[in-house]
PDB file of all heavy atoms in Angstrom:
ATOM      1  N   ASN A   9       1.989  24.111   1.969  1.00  0.00           N
ATOM      2  CA  ASN A   9       2.948  25.164   1.588  1.00  0.00           C
ATOM      3  C   ASN A   9       2.273  26.475   1.910  1.00  0.00           C
ATOM      4  O   ASN A   9       1.352  26.933   1.182  1.00  0.00           O
ATOM      5  CB  ASN A   9       3.261  25.060   0.074  1.00  0.00           C
ATOM      6  CG  ASN A   9       4.144  26.196  -0.357  1.00  0.00           C
ATOM      7  OD1 ASN A   9       4.669  26.958   0.463  1.00  0.00           O
ATOM      8  ND2 ASN A   9       4.304  26.319  -1.674  1.00  0.00           N
ATOM      9  N   LYS A  11       3.564  29.442   1.795  1.00  0.00           N
ATOM     10  CA  LYS A  11       4.020  30.564   0.983  1.00  0.00           C
ATOM     11  C   LYS A  11       4.340  31.734   1.941  1.00  0.00           C
ATOM     12  O   LYS A  11       4.811  31.479   3.055  1.00  0.00           O
ATOM     13  CB  LYS A  11       3.036  30.902  -0.106  1.00  0.00           C
ATOM     14  CG  LYS A  11       2.626  29.598  -0.901  1.00  0.00           C
ATOM     15  CD  LYS A  11       1.835  29.907  -2.148  1.00  0.00           C
ATOM     16  CE  LYS A  11       1.546  28.550  -2.798  1.00  0.00           C
ATOM     17  NZ  LYS A  11       0.819  28.677  -4.058  1.00  0.00           N
ATOM     18  N   HIS A  95       9.565  25.340  -6.934  1.00  0.00           N
ATOM     19  CA  HIS A  95       8.145  25.763  -6.978  1.00  0.00           C
ATOM     20  C   HIS A  95       7.955  26.753  -8.132  1.00  0.00           C
ATOM     21  O   HIS A  95       8.813  27.571  -8.408  1.00  0.00           O
ATOM     22  CB  HIS A  95       7.730  26.422  -5.651  1.00  0.00           C
ATOM     23  CG  HIS A  95       6.244  26.548  -5.591  1.00  0.00           C
ATOM     24  ND1 HIS A  95       5.604  27.586  -6.195  1.00  0.00           N
ATOM     25  CD2 HIS A  95       5.289  25.821  -4.990  1.00  0.00           C
ATOM     26  CE1 HIS A  95       4.272  27.442  -5.980  1.00  0.00           C
ATOM     27  NE2 HIS A  95       4.076  26.384  -5.274  1.00  0.00           N
ATOM     28  N   GLU A 164       2.516  20.322 -10.166  1.00  0.00           N
ATOM     29  CA  GLU A 164       1.667  21.482  -9.890  1.00  0.00           C
ATOM     30  C   GLU A 164       1.456  22.272 -11.180  1.00  0.00           C
ATOM     31  O   GLU A 164       2.286  23.115 -11.542  1.00  0.00           O
ATOM     32  CB  GLU A 164       2.322  22.391  -8.866  1.00  0.00           C
ATOM     33  CG  GLU A 164       2.480  21.784  -7.525  1.00  0.00           C
ATOM     34  CD  GLU A 164       2.519  22.840  -6.378  1.00  0.00           C
ATOM     35  OE1 GLU A 164       3.265  23.829  -6.529  1.00  0.00           O
ATOM     36  OE2 GLU A 164       1.740  22.672  -5.431  1.00  0.00           O
ATOM     37  N   ALA A 168      -3.426  25.867 -12.303  1.00  0.00           N
ATOM     38  CA  ALA A 168      -4.333  25.425 -11.233  1.00  0.00           C
ATOM     39  C   ALA A 168      -3.939  25.988  -9.867  1.00  0.00           C
ATOM     40  O   ALA A 168      -4.637  25.776  -8.894  1.00  0.00           O
ATOM     41  CB  ALA A 168      -4.315  23.866 -11.165  1.00  0.00           C
ATOM     42  N   ILE A 169      -2.807  26.730  -9.839  1.00  0.00           N
ATOM     43  CA  ILE A 169      -2.326  27.235  -8.544  1.00  0.00           C
ATOM     44  C   ILE A 169      -3.013  28.491  -8.171  1.00  0.00           C
ATOM     45  O   ILE A 169      -2.936  29.508  -8.847  1.00  0.00           O
ATOM     46  CB  ILE A 169      -0.813  27.439  -8.586  1.00  0.00           C
ATOM     47  CG1 ILE A 169      -0.070  26.088  -8.780  1.00  0.00           C
ATOM     48  CG2 ILE A 169      -0.304  28.102  -7.279  1.00  0.00           C
ATOM     49  CD1 ILE A 169       1.440  26.185  -8.880  1.00  0.00           C
ATOM     50  N   GLY A 170      -3.744  28.469  -7.031  1.00  0.00           N
ATOM     51  CA  GLY A 170      -4.383  29.656  -6.518  1.00  0.00           C
ATOM     52  C   GLY A 170      -5.506  30.176  -7.377  1.00  0.00           C
ATOM     53  O   GLY A 170      -5.986  31.287  -7.194  1.00  0.00           O
ATOM     54  N   GLY A 208      -2.334  22.272  -6.604  1.00  0.00           N
ATOM     55  CA  GLY A 208      -3.065  23.221  -7.464  1.00  0.00           C
ATOM     56  C   GLY A 208      -4.545  23.208  -7.089  1.00  0.00           C
ATOM     57  O   GLY A 208      -5.288  22.341  -7.554  1.00  0.00           O
ATOM     58  N   SER A 209      -4.908  24.170  -6.229  1.00  0.00           N
ATOM     59  CA  SER A 209      -6.310  24.256  -5.785  1.00  0.00           C
ATOM     60  C   SER A 209      -6.869  23.010  -5.191  1.00  0.00           C
ATOM     61  O   SER A 209      -8.048  22.644  -5.419  1.00  0.00           O
ATOM     62  CB  SER A 209      -7.193  24.784  -6.954  1.00  0.00           C
ATOM     63  OG  SER A 209      -6.786  26.066  -7.319  1.00  0.00           O
ATOM     64  N   LEU A 228       0.188  18.685  -2.408  1.00  0.00           N
ATOM     65  CA  LEU A 228       0.917  19.872  -1.934  1.00  0.00           C
ATOM     66  C   LEU A 228      -0.128  21.024  -1.936  1.00  0.00           C
ATOM     67  O   LEU A 228      -0.651  21.351  -3.019  1.00  0.00           O
ATOM     68  CB  LEU A 228       2.092  20.178  -2.893  1.00  0.00           C
ATOM     69  CG  LEU A 228       3.014  21.320  -2.500  1.00  0.00           C
ATOM     70  CD1 LEU A 228       3.555  21.208  -1.095  1.00  0.00           C
ATOM     71  CD2 LEU A 228       4.217  21.359  -3.497  1.00  0.00           C
ATOM     72  N   GLY A 230      -1.693  24.779  -0.932  1.00  0.00           N
ATOM     73  CA  GLY A 230      -1.433  26.166  -0.634  1.00  0.00           C
ATOM     74  C   GLY A 230      -2.559  26.719   0.214  1.00  0.00           C
ATOM     75  O   GLY A 230      -2.659  26.516   1.405  1.00  0.00           O
ATOM     76  N   GLY A 231      -3.450  27.494  -0.445  1.00  0.00           N
ATOM     77  CA  GLY A 231      -4.504  28.214   0.242  1.00  0.00           C
ATOM     78  C   GLY A 231      -5.280  27.419   1.281  1.00  0.00           C
ATOM     79  O   GLY A 231      -5.501  27.897   2.411  1.00  0.00           O
TER      80      GLY A 231
HETATM   81  P1  13P B   1      -3.034  26.454  -4.010  1.00  0.00           P
HETATM   82  O1  13P B   1      -3.453  25.214  -3.233  1.00  0.00           O
HETATM   83  O2  13P B   1      -3.318  27.722  -3.278  1.00  0.00           O
HETATM   84  O3  13P B   1      -3.583  26.427  -5.390  1.00  0.00           O
HETATM   85  O4  13P B   1      -1.436  26.416  -4.132  1.00  0.00           O
HETATM   86  C1  13P B   1      -0.846  25.265  -4.621  1.00  0.00           C
HETATM   87  C2  13P B   1       0.628  25.382  -4.423  1.00  0.00           C
HETATM   88  O5  13P B   1       1.267  26.146  -5.098  1.00  0.00           O
HETATM   89  C3  13P B   1       1.250  24.565  -3.379  1.00  0.00           C
HETATM   90  O6  13P B   1       2.662  24.595  -3.476  1.00  0.00           O
END
Side-chain angles (χ1 to χ4, degrees):
N9 175 11
K11 309 189 180 184
H95 193 280
E164 297 206 310
I169 296 178
S209 297
L228 184 52

